[in-house]
Amino acid sequence: MLPESNLNKNRLALACALAFPLAAPVLAQTSPAPDASDSQAIVEPSVLNTVTVTGSREQTQLMRSPASVGVISAEAIQQTGPMHPQQIIGQVPGAAVAVTNGEGHTTAIRQPFTTSPVYLFLEDGIPTRATGFFNHNGLYETNMPQAGGIEVVKGPGSALYGSDAIAGIVNVLSRVPSAKPVASVTGELGSFGWQRLLLDGTTGTGEGAVRVGANLTHTDGWREKTAYDRQSVNLRHDQGLDAGATLKTLLGYTKIDQQTGANSSLTYRDYTDNPTKNNFGIAWRKVDALRLSTQYERETGASLLSITPYLRSNAMDLNGSYNLSSDPRAEKTSVFSLGMMAKWRQDFEGAAKPRLIVGLDVERSPGKRTEDSLNVSTTGAGADRNYYAYTVGNRIYDYDVTFKSLSPYVQGELSPTQALRLTAGLRFDSIGYDMSNNITASTTRAGTTGRYYGQIASASVDYTHWSPKLGVTLALGPSSSLYASYNHGFRAPSESQLFRAGSDSAANAPTKARLALDLKPIKARQVELGWRGVSQGWSYDVAVYQLTKTDDLVSQRDLATNVSTTLNAGKTEHTGLELALGKSLSRSWRIDTALSYAVHRYVDWVTASANYSGNEMATAPRFIGNTRVTWTPRPGTSAQLEWVSLGEYWLEDSNSATYGKYAGHDVFNLRLRQQVGKDVSAFLRLMNLTDRRYADSASVSSNTAVYTPALPRALYLGLEATW
């Protein structure tokens, strides 16, 4: 167990001391927005006039949206210069990202930090991957440091987006092109061999405009064998057509090659004394992701028609470090998707301002998975075991699988009074998989080991599901509103859960493979209350929620066959409070904070070996905080100090005092920017300012508490030139 410092013991008190003096003016009587001559009026419209698109698939003022949506602007992204999603997503209350390696990550949005497929990652509203082919590292397939904004919808979103959106949605927005020619080049160098080149250019094209960006990144990694390379290219072309119609074409491509050693956890002794050690140096990951879409949109009076055909290709080749200790294997997956998202919106006349949105999403995604067993060479034992070499063994999985979906949805809005807006939505998903096995044997064996894998010659699995949503917003005045919502979500089992059930004995492996086909969707429901607005210069957003997941996947022993398998038998509950505050304290000083306090518990969770019902979930910190103080003494000069705070959490699900908790951490980052010429700026990022030893993750392995060390103090310098 990590020693807990005095600062850690008082983290919540410190955060409250910061937050509640800030909140005091907010919780008072809401007052109208100040006059434009007020020195603070320059920042107050950032909440009042913020427009979001993810929560409704329509441009909607945040003040009128019955959803908890965190919006990160393009300006905030540029100021932060994120090298990893962790460094930007935490600006949204209730959302956090942890580093695995490179740009790999686990995410916590109203959930513990997890690799489970409970989130939906979008790019301009289009899923970056097909349902059933989830990748918990999926945000690295988008070009986040060159994004035009990021929106985080917290809680289920299946009523609009279907499967996977049961805990949150992250929508990375493209940068809008400009008819005026503009180009920029940003070069960075930093600690541990960090190099990054960002290129961006935009210009007019007759009745339209085009924008092209590129991200070329390399790092040696600060731990042994954790280097990675990234190349990303993005293109957006906007074109005006006759009769008010427009076309928006997006092209995105990302290639990643990394030594992954992801979450190479260490015993406490190595964590403190030898943190660069990597016990999983033989692991690797290669990613290719291509996306192309064209949105046709035509607005005629009170109606809007939108049709977006798209294609995408996702391929991954990996030797996952998470497999090496139990089931070592090299995996190759690929999936090619063709789809279309169509929507019609109609505004009707009348005092109630009724609106109807009808849509249809269609997709077909043929894919393939192959896996080869690995024979690994190791030294040491238990949590100190080091994996230093491998040879490739037998092929254990080789199948083709096609995902298909047909999903209509409808949403209606109505205002019985000028201040009140009601929203209701319903989506029907008809989805399924068709699998054809290229291995004909009933079982395959991993080399000379006792691991056998059951094979199903072919299978078809289909699901239908209804997802409702209800919402209400109430304007309390010109600068404040309340909202309440009910949202339902679901996630269909992934192709790997259905068709690669894992190893067992020779006798049990075929039964285990058949039982996996019986898996059903996980379901989630959330009720939420929120209050957002501006008061006396303070921008605020408060939300309280309860999210319940049922039919979650639990490893149990089937009573009929006595085979250990995964069943829909779990229930969890997630309850929390989130708070975002921001204010310009003067013409040159601004403060922003994002705080959340949540409890994540097992309600009913009985596994083959333990009963965790009533326990708090592991890797589930109650407190998450991100506070930024920004100083801008003059145009072209800025400094920002960031405080990232993470509360303690249990290392394992039994909540045993034997292993205890990770004590949490407080980390400070400094960012400086100075204009050094008419069109040239220099910037500096000093991460982990105090060189604090803290953990990206902590857990129990081989009955030993283990910790994954996070980045030590690191310095990054760069120049940006624009013309």
Side-chain angles (χ1 to χ4, degrees):
M1 179 176 176
L2 285 176
E4 188 173 11
S5 68
N6 291 332
L7 181 60
N8 285 333
K9 291 179 180 178
N10 295 291
R11 180 182 294 106
L12 184 58
L14 287 169
C16 293
L18 171 66
F20 287 107
L22 304 185
V26 176
L27 302 178
Q29 181 74 29
T30 301
S31 60
D35 186 82
S37 61
D38 190 300
S39 63
Q40 308 308 319
I42 187 173
V43 298
E44 289 178 356
S46 65
V47 166
L48 294 179
N49 299 332
T50 294
V51 174
T52 176
V53 297
T54 311
S56 63
R57 288 197 180 185
E58 282 282 314
Q59 287 195 353
T60 305
Q61 271 198 322
L62 187 59
M63 293 285 289
R64 296 178 64 86
S65 174
S68 184
V69 184
V71 179
I72 303 172
S73 67
E75 292 76 18
I77 295 171
Q78 182 187 39
Q79 185 174 49
T80 303
M83 300 173 290
H84 188 281
Q86 179 195 55
Q87 297 169 6
I88 191 70
I89 298 298
Q91 294 183 13
V92 173
V97 171
V99 178
T100 54
N101 181 62
E103 292 182 53
H105 55 87
T106 61
T107 305
I109 303 174
R110 297 188 174 177
Q111 295 288 295
F113 285 102
T114 181
T115 60
S116 298
V118 295
Y119 305 113
L120 183 64
F121 301 138
L122 309 175
E123 185 177 52
D124 274 30
I126 302 173
T128 60
R129 281 182 160 261
T131 292
F133 295 86
F134 176 81
N135 178 6
H136 68 86
N137 299 300
L139 289 174
Y140 65 19
E141 297 180 346
T142 63
N143 187 2
M144 196 165 284
Q146 293 185 292
I150 302 169
E151 295 184 354
V152 180
V153 180
K154 293 168 285 183
S158 292
L160 280 179
Y161 294 99
S163 179
D164 297 4
I166 64 174
I169 301 169
V170 180
N171 190 12
V172 180
L173 306 175
S174 60
R175 297 185 69 181
V176 178
S178 169
K180 178 182 177 182
V182 180
S184 68
V185 176
T186 304
E188 303 178 14
L189 295 173
S191 301
F192 313 112
W194 173 266
Q195 304 170 46
R196 184 163 72 179
L197 180 66
L198 302 177
L199 307 173
D200 180 76
T202 183
T203 189
T205 58
E207 296 300 317
V210 64
R211 185 170 214 126
V212 180
N215 175 352
L216 308 176
T217 300
H218 168 81
T219 180
D220 296 335
W222 79 273
R223 300 181 67 190
E224 298 170 359
K225 298 183 179 180
T226 55
Y228 81 92
D229 290 278
R230 172 197 184 99
Q231 300 91 39
S232 290
V233 177
N234 293 85
L235 179 147
R236 172 171 167 173
H237 181 239
D238 291 2
Q239 181 69 41
L241 304 176
D242 294 337
T246 60
L247 288 177
K248 182 180 77 171
T249 298
L250 295 175
L251 173 66
Y253 175 71
T254 292
K255 181 181 180 66
I256 295 172
D257 186 353
Q258 69 177 52
Q259 298 173 290
T260 185
N263 274 358
S264 179
S265 54
L266 303 173
T267 61
Y268 185 66
R269 182 185 59 188
D270 282 337
Y271 167 77
T272 56
D273 300 336
N274 191 18
T276 62
K277 181 182 178 183
N278 178 5
N279 287 326
F280 301 97
I282 61 174
W284 39 263
R285 182 183 297 260
K286 298 178 181 179
V287 175
D288 274 273
L290 173 69
R291 299 171 301 279
L292 175 63
S293 66
T294 296
Q295 179 190 68
Y296 170 84
E297 200 166 81
R298 181 178 179 182
E299 192 162 12
T300 307
S303 66
L304 173 74
L305 175 65
S306 174
I307 302 174
T308 308
Y310 63 86
L311 66 83
R312 60 174 174 251
S313 175
N314 300 91
M316 185 162 56
D317 186 0
L318 72 109
N319 173 15
S321 58
Y322 53 87
N323 293 326
L324 292 177
S325 62
S326 58
D327 191 6
R329 60 189 190 270
E331 307 174 51
K332 288 186 179 182
T333 57
S334 62
V335 57
F336 179 82
S337 302
L338 287 174
M340 183 188 70
M341 303 169 71
K343 179 185 66 179
W344 173 72
R345 182 254 290 161
Q346 180 69 46
D347 292 323
F348 298 93
E349 296 183 356
K353 300 178 182 179
R355 165 176 284 190
L356 180 67
I357 300 172
V358 178
L360 176 67
D361 296 342
V362 182
E363 182 174 304
R364 182 177 177 84
S365 299
K368 183 177 181 63
R369 173 182 288 272
T370 62
E371 296 188 10
D372 296 317
S373 65
L374 299 180
N375 305 306
V376 297
S377 300
T378 67
T379 59
D384 279 319
R385 188 181 300 276
N386 180 269
Y387 300 82
Y388 67 88
Y390 68 89
T391 58
V392 179
N394 295 349
R395 177 145 296 185
I396 54 178
Y397 288 107
D398 185 344
Y399 59 80
D400 300 307
V401 57
T402 297
F403 168 78
K404 54 194 178 182
S405 68
L406 179 68
S407 306
Y409 64 91
V410 61
Q411 178 171 305
E413 301 177 22
L414 192 68
S415 295
T417 68
Q418 186 174 0
L420 185 66
R421 188 71 171 172
L422 306 178
T423 302
L426 184 65
R427 178 183 174 107
F428 175 74
D429 282 281
S430 176
I431 63 179
Y433 302 91
D434 294 321
M435 185 275 285
S436 177
N437 203 334
N438 299 313
I439 297 177
T440 57
S442 62
T443 61
T444 55
R445 187 180 183 185
T448 59
T449 72
R451 297 194 306 274
Y452 291 83
Y453 302 81
Q455 304 293 332
I456 300 295
S458 63
S460 293
V461 181
D462 297 288
Y463 306 104
T464 58
H465 198 85
W466 294 93
S467 301
K469 61 178 284 189
L470 298 170
V472 56
T473 59
L474 177 66
L476 302 179
S479 58
S480 178
S481 69
L482 295 174
Y483 70 88
S485 66
Y486 168 85
N487 287 281
H488 174 87
F490 81 103
R491 178 183 73 79
S494 65
E495 56 84 18
S496 62
Q497 291 170 327
L498 290 168
F499 308 122
R500 57 158 321 281
S503 62
D504 210 307
S505 67
N508 289 343
T511 303
K512 189 169 186 174
R514 288 193 298 271
L515 289 172
L517 300 179
D518 295 332
L519 291 177
K520 304 300 180 185
I522 298 172
K523 304 175 186 67
R525 64 180 185 272
Q526 176 182 272
V527 291
E528 179 177 26
L529 298 172
W531 178 26
R532 57 170 65 102
V534 174
S535 177
Q536 301 179 20
W538 291 98
S539 167
Y540 61 92
D541 195 332
V542 185
V544 60
Y545 67 89
Q546 183 176 82
L547 189 159
T548 303
K549 288 164 54 184
T550 56
D551 292 332
D552 212 337
L553 303 185
V554 181
S555 177
Q556 289 188 340
R557 187 171 298 278
D558 184 85
L559 298 180
T561 63
N562 204 35
V563 175
S564 293
T565 187
T566 300
L567 303 174
N568 295 95
K571 180 179 180 180
T572 63
E573 189 173 84
H574 314 266
T575 305
L577 171 68
E578 298 164 350
L579 172 66
L581 287 170
K583 178 181 173 67
S584 287
L585 304 174
S586 68
R587 292 183 180 273
S588 57
W589 288 93
R590 179 172 178 84
I591 186 168
D592 295 276
T593 190
L595 307 173
S596 68
Y597 184 85
V599 179
H600 308 275
R601 292 193 180 279
Y602 292 115
V603 176
D604 187 3
W605 202 273
V606 182
T607 74
S609 59
N611 184 353
Y612 298 128
S613 302
N615 288 3
E616 202 160 343
M617 301 175 74
T619 65
R622 292 191 174 192
F623 177 76
I624 300 174
N626 180 294
T627 300
R628 301 169 306 284
V629 177
T630 306
W631 179 50
T632 310
R634 64 184 66 86
T637 301
S638 67
Q640 184 181 85
L641 180 65
E642 178 184 44
W643 171 24
V644 178
S645 185
L646 190 77
E648 63 182 16
Y649 57 79
W650 290 104
L651 298 184
E652 42 73 59
D653 291 323
S654 71
N655 297 176
S656 168
T658 301
Y659 305 110
K661 297 180 178 181
Y662 171 63
H665 56 253
D666 295 277
V667 179
F668 296 89
N669 304 311
L670 178 66
R671 299 178 177 94
L672 306 175
R673 178 176 285 267
Q674 175 62 55
Q675 185 172 333
V676 294
K678 181 181 178 182
D679 299 310
V680 179
S681 294
F683 56 87
L684 173 152
R685 297 190 297 270
L686 187 58
M687 310 303 292
N688 194 356
L689 186 64
T690 61
D691 201 21
R692 166 97 188 248
R693 173 74 68 239
Y694 70 102
D696 279 321
S697 63
S699 59
V700 172
S701 176
S702 299
N703 297 316
T704 305
V706 293
Y707 309 89
T708 302
L711 184 74
R713 182 162 51 217
L715 176 65
Y716 304 91
L717 303 170
L719 287 174
E720 179 181 17
T722 304
W723 63 92

